[in-house]
Amino acid sequence: MGLLEKYTTSTAFLEALQEAGVDYLFSNFGSDHPAMIEALASAEREGKEFPKVITCPHEMVALSAAHGYAQVTGRPQAVIVHVECGTQNLGAAIHNAWKGRVPVLVFAGTSPFTQEGELLGSRNEFIHWIQDVPDQRGIVRGYMKYDNEIRTGTNVKQMVHRALQIAQSGPKGPVYLVGAREVMEEETPQVTIDTSLWKPVEPSAIAPKNIAPFIEDLKQAEHPLVVTSYIGRNKQSVRELVRFCEKMAIPLLESVPNYMNFPSDNPLHMGYQWNTPRQNDLLAQADFILAIDSDVPWIPFKNKPADDAVIYYIDEDPLKEGMPLWYIPSRRFFKADAETALMQLNEVLETAEIDETKIEKRRKKITEIHLEQKKLQKEAEKFPEDALTSEYVLACIRDVVDEDTIVTNELISSYQASYTHLNMTKPGSIIGSGAGGLGWNGGAAIGAKLADPSKTIINLAGDGCYMFSVPSTVYWLARRYDAPILTVIFNNRGWKSPKLSTLGVHPDGIANETDRFFIDFTPHADLSKVAEAAGGAYARKVDNPEEMKATLQEALKAVKSGRSAVLDVYLPAIKQEQ
C-alpha cells in the first residue's frame, strides 16, 4: 500500500472518523467539499480504508439514516452537508437526533474566507458570497450537544474525537463541526493520537446513600408502578427492568414509547399510553411510581398520579434543561444510567426482607388485568368486513414479524394501536424517532438495514409521514446501496393528528360542525408508485381486507429477493371519521 499523494486537514478528518469506528459518511457534497472529495478519491486509489460514502440526494434522509444506524448499532455515523443551506435542509432530522438522544457527527463546510486567491480553496464561485452568513453554527446550536469550527489540520483529530466523545456520553446526542475550504485544503503533517484516551464518559449511578430510602418506600407500597418510554435503547436495561419488576410484581406502563421497553407478553405489562384523554386507572391508584427513562411519563392535564403518590425519577437528564417547561412532583431525581441504576437496586432487593404474600397477591391481580387487555386486543383485530382497520393490518404485520425483523415506526395517530397490536417482545425489535420531526421513517429504515443487512426491515408510516420522508430519495438509496425495505403506508388520505388536536381543544367547535380541518390530501396521490419510479420498488395499493395477507406476503417475498416494496394500505378516509 502506497502513501497518499497529499496529506491535508480533510485526510486527517476522515482518518479520525475511521479510527472512531464510523462506517458511513451520509453525504450531500457541495462547493465546500473539494478537499474531502479529493482525499476520498486519493484514498480509494491508494487502497486506504475510509468510511464508505453514501450519496444522499436529500439531507433529511441522510441524517435520518445515520439516526437509524446509530439506534441499531449504538455507534455514531457522520453526515456531510453543504454549508448553511445543507445545514438547514437537515430540517426536522436535527430535532429528532437531539430529542431522541442519538449520537451523530454532522460536518458542514463554510464559505471560503479569502477571495483573491491568497490560499488554496479561495472563493471562485459566485455562490461563495451568497452562502456566507454571520453565524452558521447558530442555526443548529440549540439542537446540538457541541459545536465548533475546525481552524487547522494540526489538531483536527483531537476536534473530531472530542466531538464524538461528547456525542456518545450520556445523554447522547448530535454534534456539529464546520470548516472553511482553505482550512480543509491545508497540507498538514500526519496526525497521530492515542484514541483510547477519548472514550465516552462512563455511565453514572445512584449515590449509595439514596438506595435504602428508595427500597424502603418501595417495600411499603401496596400499588407500585413503573413508567418508561425509552429504556429499550439499551437492550441490557430491559433485562434489568424485567428482573426488577418480576422480583416485586410491579406492573409496567409504557408512556409514549419509541423502543421495545418491556416484553408485551409478560403478565406485568400493562399496555401503552400516548395523548390519553382519560385517566389511567393504574396510574391513579399507584402509591409508588418509578418513572425511568421517560420525558413524558404522563400528561397531567387529564391523566396523572394521585397527589400523595411517592414518585422517584431516574434519567441521564433528570432536569430536562433543554425543555423550558417541564416538571413532575418527584420525591427524588437521580441523574443515572438506567441499566446501572437498576443493577444497583436489583442487587439490594436480592437480600432484602420482602412480604412474599403481598407480592404474590399483587402478581395475581396484575396478571388478570393483563389477560383482560389481551382479550380486548384480540377482539379489535377481528377481520373487517367492509374496510381495512389499523388493528387488523397490524395483526397481519405481526404474523410476518420474526426474530430477524426490525420495525421502524412512525404511525403518529396510530402509535398506540401499533405497539398494542404488534406485541413486540425482543429488545431492539422496534424503534421510533423519539421526537416529533416527521419524515424520519424512510431514512431510518435504510440506516437500520445498512446497520444489520441480515435483518428484514418493516417500515410503518402514515401517508403524511411517508411524504415527509422524501420517498424519491429513500427508495433510490435502497436500490443504489442494496438496502431493500418493506414499507406499509397507513393511508387515511390526510393528516389525522391535527384533526385530533383540534377536537381535543374544541370538541364542539365550528371545525367539527362544518368538518373543515384543512388536512385532507385531495386529489389522492398514488404514493407507492413514487417508490417504484425512484427505486424500482414493488408497489401495490391495498383496499380490500381479503387481499391484505396475501399482498403482504408478496411484498415480503420481493424484499427478501433484494427489491424494496411499498404497500399503500387504504384505511377509512379522515373525512369519514367522527
Side-chain angles (χ1 to χ4, degrees):
M1 183 186 300
L3 293 175
L4 293 174
E5 294 179 356
K6 188 177 178 182
Y7 193 92
T8 65
T9 302
S10 291
T11 310
F13 174 82
L14 293 166
E15 277 186 355
L17 294 177
Q18 178 72 22
E19 293 164 358
V22 171
D23 299 312
Y24 292 106
L25 308 175
F26 296 96
S27 303
N28 193 296
F29 290 126
S31 62
D32 43 336
H33 300 124
M36 192 173 295
I37 292 170
E38 188 69 10
L40 287 162
S42 183
E44 186 175 281
R45 187 175 74 175
E46 297 292 331
K48 183 177 179 65
E49 189 173 357
F50 277 160
K52 181 180 178 180
V53 173
I54 302 292
T55 300
C56 297
H58 198 285
E59 294 86 347
M60 173 72 182
V61 180
L63 184 47
S64 297
H67 186 143
Y69 192 100
Q71 285 179 284
V72 172
T73 65
R75 301 195 308 274
Q77 301 303 295
V79 175
I80 313 297
V81 298
H82 177 47
V83 294
E84 106 294 359
C85 293
T87 298
Q88 294 187 86
N89 224 27
L90 290 167
I94 300 173
H95 158 92
N96 290 338
W98 172 240
K99 295 297 184 180
R101 302 186 185 183
V102 172
V104 61
L105 186 148
V106 180
F107 173 83
T110 66
S111 282
F113 54 77
T114 60
Q115 68 176 32
E116 297 185 21
E118 300 95 324
L119 296 169
L120 182 62
S122 188
R123 295 185 183 187
N124 63 348
E125 302 176 36
F126 81 91
I127 202 66
H128 294 152
W129 281 267
I130 307 301
Q131 292 173 340
D132 190 2
V133 296
D135 186 11
Q136 181 174 314
R137 288 156 57 191
I139 297 169
V140 297
R141 188 168 294 124
Y143 298 86
M144 294 289 160
K145 284 195 70 181
Y146 172 78
D147 70 273
N148 210 338
E149 179 180 356
I150 297 169
R151 295 182 174 89
T152 174
T154 58
N155 70 352
V156 65
K157 284 197 175 183
Q158 290 90 332
M159 295 278 287
V160 169
H161 284 284
R162 170 168 164 74
L164 287 170
Q165 179 184 43
I166 292 171
Q168 296 179 86
S169 297
K172 299 178 181 180
V175 294
Y176 183 71
L177 294 176
V178 300
R181 280 215 314 187
E182 295 93 331
V183 172
M184 301 310 291
E185 292 279 3
E186 172 193 331
E187 287 195 62
T188 184
Q190 189 156 359
V191 180
T192 303
I193 66 172
D194 183 354
T195 59
S196 67
L197 304 178
W198 299 88
K199 300 298 183 184
V201 173
E202 290 297 320
S204 53
I206 301 173
K209 67 178 182 179
N210 291 322
I211 293 178
F214 177 100
I215 296 295
E216 190 57 35
D217 283 341
L218 173 59
K219 288 168 59 178
Q220 295 298 320
E222 296 293 330
H223 304 290
L225 178 68
V226 173
V227 183
T228 191
S229 301
Y230 45 77
I231 201 170
R233 63 187 175 183
N234 175 358
K235 297 176 184 179
Q236 300 307 313
S237 296
V238 176
R239 179 192 64 189
E240 293 298 330
L241 180 60
V242 171
R243 180 182 166 198
F244 175 78
C245 289
E246 288 187 340
K247 177 69 175 179
M248 300 292 289
I250 307 173
L252 184 288
L253 175 65
E254 295 193 54
S255 181
V256 200
N258 53 292
Y259 290 90
M260 200 303 296
N261 297 305
F262 198 88
S264 65
D265 59 354
N266 189 301
L268 296 172
H269 193 279
M270 291 292 101
Y272 312 89
Q273 65 180 23
W274 264 264
N275 300 330
T276 309
R278 58 189 176 278
Q279 179 65 54
N280 182 292
D281 292 338
L282 280 172
L283 190 61
Q285 185 185 39
D287 54 2
F288 175 99
I289 298 174
L290 169 59
I292 182 167
D293 276 12
S294 177
D295 289 339
V296 188
W298 49 79
I299 299 177
F301 180 39
K302 291 187 176 180
N303 179 30
K304 63 180 181 179
D307 292 339
D308 59 352
V310 174
I311 300 171
Y312 283 84
Y313 185 76
I314 301 176
D315 195 274
E316 288 182 308
D317 179 24
L319 294 178
K320 300 291 180 287
E321 294 176 72
M323 297 181 188
L325 177 62
W326 187 94
Y327 54 87
I328 61 172
S330 182
R331 176 169 291 186
R332 292 285 188 275
F333 292 87
F334 297 141
K335 182 179 175 64
D337 167 72
E339 180 189 2
T340 304
L342 287 169
M343 288 176 66
Q344 291 178 279
L345 297 172
N346 286 332
E347 184 177 350
V348 174
L349 285 173
E350 284 300 320
T351 57
E353 292 186 10
I354 297 171
D355 185 344
E356 295 290 351
T357 301
K358 181 172 75 171
I359 288 175
E360 290 311 310
K361 181 179 179 182
R362 183 162 65 224
R363 193 186 308 275
K364 180 179 178 181
K365 182 175 180 59
I366 294 302
T367 299
E368 290 173 355
I369 298 173
H370 174 85
L371 293 174
E372 182 61 26
Q373 287 183 346
K374 292 300 182 185
K375 181 180 177 182
L376 294 174
Q377 171 196 322
K378 196 69 177 176
E379 291 174 0
E381 294 171 358
K382 64 182 180 181
F383 180 82
E385 297 296 335
D386 301 320
L388 285 161
T389 64
S390 295
E391 293 81 2
Y392 177 73
V393 174
L394 288 161
C396 293
I397 293 170
R398 183 184 68 228
D399 289 343
V400 301
V401 168
D402 59 21
E403 289 292 304
D404 293 318
T405 300
I406 296 175
V407 175
T408 52
N409 183 8
E410 198 173 28
L411 283 178
I412 313 302
S413 58
S414 293
Y415 263 147
Q416 186 152 340
S418 66
Y419 276 83
T420 299
H421 296 280
L422 288 174
N423 283 345
M424 307 304 273
T425 61
K426 181 181 177 182
S429 58
I430 185 169
I431 56 176
S433 73
L438 305 187
W440 162 90
N441 68 92
I446 297 295
K449 183 65 176 179
L450 291 173
D452 191 344
S454 70
K455 299 295 186 182
T456 300
I457 309 301
I458 299 180
N459 179 43
L460 308 181
D463 46 327
C465 285
Y466 176 82
M467 288 191 278
F468 273 130
S469 74
V470 199
S472 57
T473 290
V474 168
Y475 297 95
W476 177 86
L477 279 173
R479 178 161 60 175
R480 168 74 180 271
Y481 296 105
D482 191 24
I485 59 175
L486 167 59
T487 296
V488 182
I489 305 170
F490 285 56
N491 192 341
N492 52 24
R493 275 81 76 209
W495 279 315
K496 185 175 182 180
S497 292
K499 176 178 179 177
L500 295 176
S501 295
T502 303
L503 293 176
V505 179
H506 303 287
D508 301 313
I510 297 172
N512 187 39
E513 180 184 334
T514 61
D515 196 21
R516 289 290 287 162
F517 294 93
F518 310 99
I519 42 75
D520 64 297
F521 295 158
T522 304
H524 304 148
D526 197 343
L527 297 179
S528 65
K529 293 295 183 181
V530 177
E532 182 180 53
Y538 171 96
R540 281 287 301 274
K541 172 184 170 182
V542 186
D543 57 9
N544 184 347
E546 294 183 354
E547 297 176 355
M548 185 65 227
K549 289 187 177 181
T551 307
L552 186 61
Q553 290 287 355
E554 283 182 37
L556 196 60
K557 184 178 179 180
V559 171
K560 290 185 181 295
S561 73
R563 180 187 181 194
S564 286
V566 177
L567 298 184
D568 189 4
V569 177
Y570 269 43
L571 304 175
I574 285 176
K575 296 191 74 171
Q576 297 174 5
E577 298 176 0
Q578 300 297 324

